[in-house]
Amino acid sequence: GLREVLLPLKNLLCKYKSKAQVLTYLRLERIPVSLIQQIGLQIPEALKSSLYLTPLRSNSSGRICIPVLISVDSNLACLAGLWLADGSYDKNSTIFSVIEYVCNSYVHSISNAICNTTPKLHSDGLSLMIHSTAFKHFFKHVLCLEGNAYTKRVPAWVFSLPEKELAFFLRGYISGDGWPRAHDLAVGSCSLGLLEDMQTLFLRLGI
């Protein structure tokens, strides 16, 4: 476990933290991410799948942890597209403006799978919120889903998604910013860059 990784580094850790703190890290098998970065600790690949990121402070739902390793499956790809269409953040939450029942189920599925919690209904009576600072940081800084209605762009990783996950990503986006017409689909956005990105993605699927 993590203790076996940290134990040989005990003296090095004591240069940054008190001995009592280091002993607590070893006992709980928990270490601040900032300290991992300071000492340049490389976590073994075999161990990463069992590790979780835990916020320092809890909220009304307790400390909501997320896995260190998260794969982009169809549900998460759809959720990313949905956020680009109608998503935002507040201080501690990731917000999705959900209309379609199917997309609603994706928000619930991801919230339960990654955060082990149920999304909350926003005060607008429509949007769903995943109330977790760890998940917000994951979405914003790892998946690079950020910006406002005028500045949002498709993150670089989306362009290399397999076709199945890409189709789900576009499904999520269309559910928020798209609408069907007689013989095609239309999408609208205040961000010209986002529209150009979407055009490129649709071309990948031959659309």
Side-chain angles (χ1 to χ4, degrees), residues 132-200:
S132 163
T133 54
F135 184 82
K136 174 189 171 183
H137 282 284
F138 164 66
F139 237 59
K140 188 172 184 178
H141 300 297
V142 177
L143 295 187
C144 300
L145 292 164
E146 52 189 346
N148 57 39
Y150 297 91
T151 63
K152 285 181 178 179
R153 296 294 300 266
V154 173
W157 59 267
V158 174
F159 292 92
S160 59
L161 282 176
E163 287 191 1
K164 178 185 176 182
E165 284 72 27
L166 177 58
F168 272 88
F169 173 84
L170 292 172
R171 178 179 186 170
Y173 179 74
I174 291 169
S175 72
D177 274 355
W179 62 94
R181 301 193 299 195
H183 303 292
D184 58 15
L185 288 170
V187 295
S189 173
C190 297
S191 170
L192 177 60
L194 180 56
L195 290 175
E196 292 173 342
D197 292 341
M198 288 297 169
Q199 186 179 42
T200 301

Side-chain angles (χ1 to χ4, degrees), residues 7-188:
L7 199 55
L9 303 173
K10 182 178 175 181
N11 291 335
L12 175 61
L13 292 171
C14 287
K15 293 180 180 180
Y16 295 89
K17 300 292 181 179
S18 69
K19 184 177 180 180
Q21 285 177 303
V22 171
L23 291 175
T24 299
Y25 298 153
L26 293 171
R27 178 171 55 84
L28 299 178
E29 294 193 79
R30 183 180 297 171
I31 183 173
V33 172
S34 58
L35 186 53
I36 290 177
Q37 294 172 327
Q38 277 184 293
I39 66 174
L41 176 62
Q42 297 295 316
I43 304 294
E45 290 296 325
L47 185 60
K48 288 181 180 179
S49 61
S50 64
L51 297 181
Y52 286 79
L53 295 174
T54 306
L56 286 174
R57 296 177 179 83
S58 62
N59 56 37
S60 58
S61 303
R63 288 186 176 179
I64 298 177
C65 311
I66 66 170
V68 168
L69 292 183
I70 299 174
S71 60
V72 179
D73 60 9
S74 299
N75 287 349
L76 186 54
C78 184
L79 204 61
L82 184 63
W83 187 90
L84 272 181
D86 280 322
S88 60
Y89 302 107
D90 66 9
K91 183 178 180 181
N92 299 310
S93 304
T94 308
I95 302 171
F96 303 90
S97 297
V98 179
I99 297 177
E100 289 186 7
Y101 172 78
V102 174
C103 290
N104 183 306
S105 70
Y106 291 143
V107 179
H108 279 268
S109 176
I110 290 296
S111 183
N112 287 322
I114 295 180
C115 303
N116 195 29
T117 188
T118 302
K120 311 294 184 184
L121 186 65
H122 193 272
S123 57
D124 64 10
L126 174 67
S127 304
L128 292 176
M129 303 187 303
I130 297 180
H131 191 60
S132 163
T133 54
F135 184 82
K136 174 189 171 183
H137 282 284
F138 164 66
F139 237 59
K140 188 172 184 178
H141 300 297
V142 177
L143 295 187
C144 300
L145 292 164
E146 52 189 346
N148 57 39
Y150 297 91
T151 63
K152 285 181 178 179
R153 296 294 300 266
V154 173
W157 59 267
V158 174
F159 292 92
S160 59
L161 282 176
E163 287 191 1
K164 178 185 176 182
E165 284 72 27
L166 177 58
F168 272 88
F169 173 84
L170 292 172
R171 178 179 186 170
Y173 179 74
I174 291 169
S175 72
D177 274 355
W179 62 94
R181 301 193 299 195
H183 303 292
D184 58 15
L185 288 170
V187 295

